[in-house]
Amino acid sequence: MGIRQKLLSFLFSQLILVLMVSNHSNAMGLKLGYYHKTCPNAETIISKTTYRFISRAPTLAAPLLRMHFHDCFVRGCDGSVLLNSTKTNISEKDAIPNQSLRGYHVIDAVKSAVEEACPGVVSCADILALVARDSVSMIHGPYWKVPLGRRDGRVSILNEVFAELPAPFANITQLKQMFAAKGLNTKDLAVLSGGHTIGTSHCIGFTNRLYNFTGKGDTDPSMDPKYIVKLKQKCKPRDTTTLVEMDPGSFKTFDEAYYTLVAKRRGLLQSDSALLDDPKTKAYVILQASTHGSTFAKDFAESMVKMGQVGVLTGNQGEIRKHCALVN
C-alpha cells in the first residue's frame, strides 16, 4: 500500500471515529430545535397548552414529571407508557406502579393542538418530554433545553414495568443497578430523586415502614420515630386511598426541602431513605440540605436531559402516533 493510500485509509478511519463520537454525543439523532422547519411553533403550542392546565392545577406538575420518568425507564423515552391496553395485550399503563399516574388528558390536549398545526410531525414521546420540562418550570423549578427527535414506540408490555422501574421499596444497591442499566450514574440517582420535592404518595407506598417492616409488627429503624408517629395519624395499616405529601409544607414547590427531610431521616419512601446508605448519594443529600440546594436546579436540569435520551428511537425507527394512546 502506497503512502497516499495509507493516508486516505487513515483519514477515512478518523472520519468514521468522528461520526461515531458525534452520533453518540447527539444522543443518537436528538437535537435542539428539531422541529424548526417542520413545525416551527411546536414548542410554543406545547408550552401554552400545558400552561392552561398547570395554571389551574399546579399539582399536575408532579404526575407529569413522574410520567416522563416512568416512560424513560421502560423501553426508553418512546411514549410507551401512554399506550392503552388492547384485547390481546395489557400495556404499561395498567401496571400497578402506573395506575396512580395522572395527567394523560394534558398530553392528549397538547397532542391535539399540535396535530391541528402540523399533522403527523411531532411525536408523543417528544411531547411528554417537553410537557414534563414546562410543568416543572411553571411551578418555579429549573428550566432545561430539551433535545428533540424522539419517535414513538409501538410496543408496551405490563410485565416490563416491574423489571425496569425502580420500586418505592428498593434499597440503594438495587437503585444504583437500575439507574446504571439506563446509563445514569450515582449522582443522577441522587439528583433525580429530588423530583420527590413535589407530589404525593399513597399510604400503601410506605405503610410497611410504619407497621410491619420485617414481618414482626415493627417499624423501620432508619426512619425518624417522631415522623412515624405523625404518619400513623394519616395512614392506617390497610389504607390504599389516602395521599400523603412527599415534601410536607412545600409539596407544590420545586425546591431543595426534600434533601433537608431525607437528611433528617424523614424521607417518605424506602428509596428516599436509601440515599443515606451510599457515601456518594449521602454526600449529595448533605450538600443540598446544608447549602439551600446550591447546585440542585442546575444538576436537575442536566440529569433530566440525560434521562430524556435513554433508549430513544430516532430516524426511521418507530412512528409518529396520530393519537398518543393508540399505535397507528
Side-chain angles (χ1 to χ4, degrees):
M1 192 189 271
I3 290 174
R4 188 158 174 255
Q5 279 177 301
K6 279 183 179 172
L7 185 62
L8 283 171
S9 174
F10 172 76
L11 289 172
F12 182 71
S13 67
Q14 290 300 299
L15 177 65
I16 294 292
L17 191 64
V18 167
L19 287 172
M20 281 168 67
V21 170
S22 66
N23 188 40
H24 179 71
S25 65
N26 207 19
M28 297 162 291
L30 299 190
K31 62 179 185 180
L32 296 172
Y34 180 82
Y35 298 108
H36 180 61
K37 287 179 181 166
T38 52
C39 191
N41 296 323
E43 294 191 50
T44 306
I45 294 166
I46 291 166
S47 181
K48 281 183 176 174
T49 312
T50 304
Y51 183 74
R52 247 181 38 224
F53 290 93
I54 301 295
S55 59
R56 291 199 304 259
T59 55
L60 275 171
L64 287 165
L65 173 62
R66 186 167 164 242
M67 194 185 288
H68 180 38
F69 179 86
H70 283 214
D71 182 36
C72 292
F73 262 73
V74 184
R75 290 194 163 262
C77 314
D78 69 341
S80 55
V81 75
L82 305 170
L83 287 171
N84 287 342
S85 293
T86 63
K87 285 178 185 174
T88 56
N89 176 63
I90 304 174
S91 70
E92 293 170 31
K93 203 185 243 189
D94 289 320
I96 290 168
N98 289 335
Q99 286 175 10
S100 57
L101 288 179
R102 297 185 300 124
Y104 293 108
H105 64 294
V106 179
I107 303 299
D108 290 341
V110 169
K111 177 65 170 170
S112 176
V114 172
E115 283 296 300
E116 209 172 295
C118 321
V121 174
V122 182
S123 70
C124 298
D126 274 346
I127 285 171
L128 182 49
L130 286 166
V131 167
R133 186 272 312 272
D134 290 342
S135 300
V136 167
S137 165
M138 284 166 192
I139 57 162
H140 312 298
Y143 179 92
W144 57 94
K145 289 179 177 176
V146 179
L148 300 169
R150 296 166 190 79
R151 305 266 295 175
D152 295 323
R154 297 189 184 101
V155 179
S156 183
I157 301 165
L158 176 136
N159 285 337
E160 291 184 350
V161 175
F162 301 103
E164 303 291 333
L165 194 65
F169 316 107
N171 62 39
I172 193 66
T173 307
Q174 293 164 329
L175 290 168
K176 283 167 71 176
Q177 283 170 350
M178 293 180 107
F179 271 67
K182 307 297 171 196
L184 299 168
N185 60 30
T186 306
K187 183 183 179 182
D188 296 316
L189 165 60
V191 171
L192 293 172
S193 296
H196 285 170
T197 178
I198 51 173
T200 54
S201 168
H202 283 95
C203 292
I204 200 167
F206 57 88
T207 42
N208 68 312
R209 304 185 75 193
L210 312 181
Y211 295 104
N212 199 21
F213 189 61
T214 63
K216 297 174 186 170
D218 53 346
T219 58
D220 182 348
S222 72
M223 192 181 240
D224 175 4
K226 289 176 186 168
Y227 195 40
I228 288 175
V229 172
K230 280 188 178 180
L231 291 172
K232 279 184 170 179
Q233 291 166 1
K234 294 178 182 179
C235 296
K236 295 298 168 242
R238 279 170 288 282
D239 186 336
T240 57
T241 53
T242 305
L243 286 167
V244 175
E245 296 169 10
M246 299 285 287
D247 182 355
S250 83
F251 81 107
K252 292 180 185 177
T253 314
F254 204 96
D255 57 23
E256 79 292 340
Y258 165 82
Y259 294 106
T260 307
L261 285 169
V262 172
K264 289 178 178 173
R265 293 168 56 219
R266 292 189 166 209
L268 193 60
L269 308 176
Q270 268 172 264
S271 57
D272 296 320
S273 298
L275 296 180
L276 296 177
D277 297 334
D278 174 86
K280 282 186 181 174
T281 52
K282 183 178 182 178
Y284 190 83
V285 168
I286 303 301
L287 171 71
Q288 300 311 324
S290 60
T291 62
H292 298 291
S294 57
T295 65
F296 176 46
K298 178 179 143 302
D299 293 341
F300 192 79
E302 285 173 8
S303 288
M304 283 300 294
V305 171
K306 206 169 159 187
M307 185 192 81
Q309 297 172 344
V310 170
V312 292
L313 302 175
T314 57
N316 295 322
Q317 300 169 309
E319 63 185 17
I320 304 294
R321 282 181 220 146
K322 292 182 178 71
H323 187 290
C324 290
L326 310 166
V327 291
N328 291 348

